[in-house]
Amino acid sequence: MRPSLSEVKADLFKGLAHPVRIRVLELLHDAEPGELSVGELLAQTGLEASHLSQHLAVLRRYRLVESDRRGSQVYYRLAYANVGGLLDVSRALLAEVLETTHSDATAHLEEQQEAARWVR
Amino acid sequence: MRPSLSEVKADLFKGLAHPVRIRVLELLHDAEPGELSVGELLAQTGLEASHLSQHLAVLRRYRLVESDRRGSQVYYRLAYANVGGLLDVSRALLAEVLETTHSDATAHLEEQQEAARWVR
DNA sequence: GGTCGATATGATGAATCCATCAAATCATCA
DNA sequence: TGATGATTTGATGGATTCATCATATCGACC
């Protein structure tokens, strides 16, 4: 039984439905060479190796990323340009959501956003 | 403890991570008056009432829709314009995904797409 | 072949999601 | 007030996801 279009879309969104995986995809989206090694992702996320690896496996399963082993290192990149498009729109959607939220919550989230920028 | 930006985004994607909920959001996105009653959604999805209602509750929880009771009927609409944006990009992403899939699977999914258009 | 660094997979328990059926709630009307 | 249509919520069991720790696999090098 082949999946319906909605089921394929739902799978794509499932891949995006976890904060760590969003973070990883954003790092890949923003990376200058368009890809990052697992080691670099580990450094930038501060995660434990097997934790990140399990999430990367989910991203591979749902075809949001592609991987490429070169020697002992594995590089990941977004599988499709429109994955980046989803990230961009989600950013715009979040801004829209935040515009309608309490100003104290907004201030707090803006602080976190500044901190994230600084870390990068 | 307030949620991080990634957590808020993850919640939005969780709301999208089920085929029925995608279908509902697309129906709302495409509806001429920009909203539909639960009754209309029931008719168009063919779901059982409490099944749909549980999914609508998830969409409300993650703030992807807004509801509005008028008499005995409840109307739903997308909570933000960018929810529609996410749907549009996911459509483009799916097309991108399908371009790289086997042609027999592609043909099958295109048939389903045609059938869906016809039903509407 | 063995060691080591890099990465992936397996096992497990807790939490969450999903589908289904039952019951409750809300609004309207006689 | 009770009945009815519309909709929501609750309860429950099974499936899936998540986090964590342990183990396995891969590639490079001696």
Side-chain angles (χ1 to χ4, degrees):
Chain A
M1 187 57 207
R2 300 210 198 263
S4 68
L5 290 181
S6 296
E7 276 163 345
V8 179
K9 282 183 196 173
D11 280 351
L12 293 167
F13 286 124
K14 278 179 204 159
L16 286 148
H18 188 285
V20 164
R21 297 201 291 277
I22 291 170
R23 186 82 192 101
V24 168
L25 291 169
E26 284 179 342
L27 288 172
L28 295 178
H29 184 37
D30 296 341
E32 194 46 43
E35 69 179 9
L36 290 167
S37 70
V38 174
E40 285 161 325
L41 288 169
L42 285 171
Q44 294 194 41
T45 58
L47 291 171
E48 191 264 322
S50 66
H51 188 185
L52 175 62
S53 201
Q54 297 250 27
H55 281 297
L56 290 173
V58 172
L59 291 173
R60 290 197 312 271
R61 169 159 42 112
Y62 292 131
R63 299 191 293 169
L64 292 165
V65 295
E66 290 180 329
S67 63
D68 178 27
R69 179 178 274 274
R70 291 182 222 132
S72 67
Q73 304 212 293
V74 181
Y75 287 81
Y76 279 80
R77 75 187 144 270
L78 298 188
Y80 303 102
N82 275 304
V83 173
L86 276 184
L87 295 171
D88 293 336
V89 178
S90 71
R91 205 168 278 148
L93 172 55
L94 193 68
E96 210 178 346
V97 172
L98 296 181
E99 268 169 31
T100 65
T101 313
H102 301 306
S103 62
D104 57 340
T106 304
H108 179 77
L109 291 172
E110 279 172 350
E111 281 172 20
Q112 287 197 307
Q113 196 161 32
E114 282 301 320
R117 267 199 221 110
W118 187 82
V119 169
R120 273 189 278 171
Chain B
M1 186 57 208
R2 298 208 198 266
S4 67
L5 290 180
S6 296
E7 277 164 341
V8 179
K9 283 183 194 171
D11 280 351
L12 293 167
F13 286 123
K14 278 179 204 160
L16 286 149
H18 188 286
V20 163
R21 296 202 290 278
I22 290 170
R23 185 84 193 102
V24 168
L25 291 169
E26 284 179 342
L27 288 172
L28 295 178
H29 185 36
D30 297 340
E32 195 47 45
E35 66 179 10
L36 290 169
S37 70
V38 174
E40 286 162 327
L41 289 170
L42 285 172
Q44 296 195 38
T45 57
L47 292 171
E48 189 266 322
S50 66
H51 189 186
L52 175 62
S53 202
Q54 296 251 25
H55 281 298
L56 290 172
V58 172
L59 293 173
R60 290 198 310 275
R61 173 160 38 111
Y62 292 131
R63 298 190 294 168
L64 292 164
V65 296
E66 288 178 333
S67 62
D68 177 28
R69 178 177 276 272
R70 290 182 221 133
S72 65
Q73 305 213 295
V74 181
Y75 287 80
Y76 279 81
R77 74 184 144 275
L78 298 188
Y80 303 103
N82 275 305
V83 173
L86 276 185
L87 295 171
D88 293 336
V89 179
S90 71
R91 204 170 277 149
L93 172 55
L94 193 67
E96 210 178 345
V97 172
L98 295 182
E99 270 170 26
T100 64
T101 313
H102 301 308
S103 61
D104 56 340
T106 305
H108 178 75
L109 291 172
E110 277 171 354
E111 282 173 19
Q112 286 196 307
Q113 198 160 28
E114 284 300 323
R117 265 197 222 113
W118 186 84
V119 168
R120 274 189 275 171

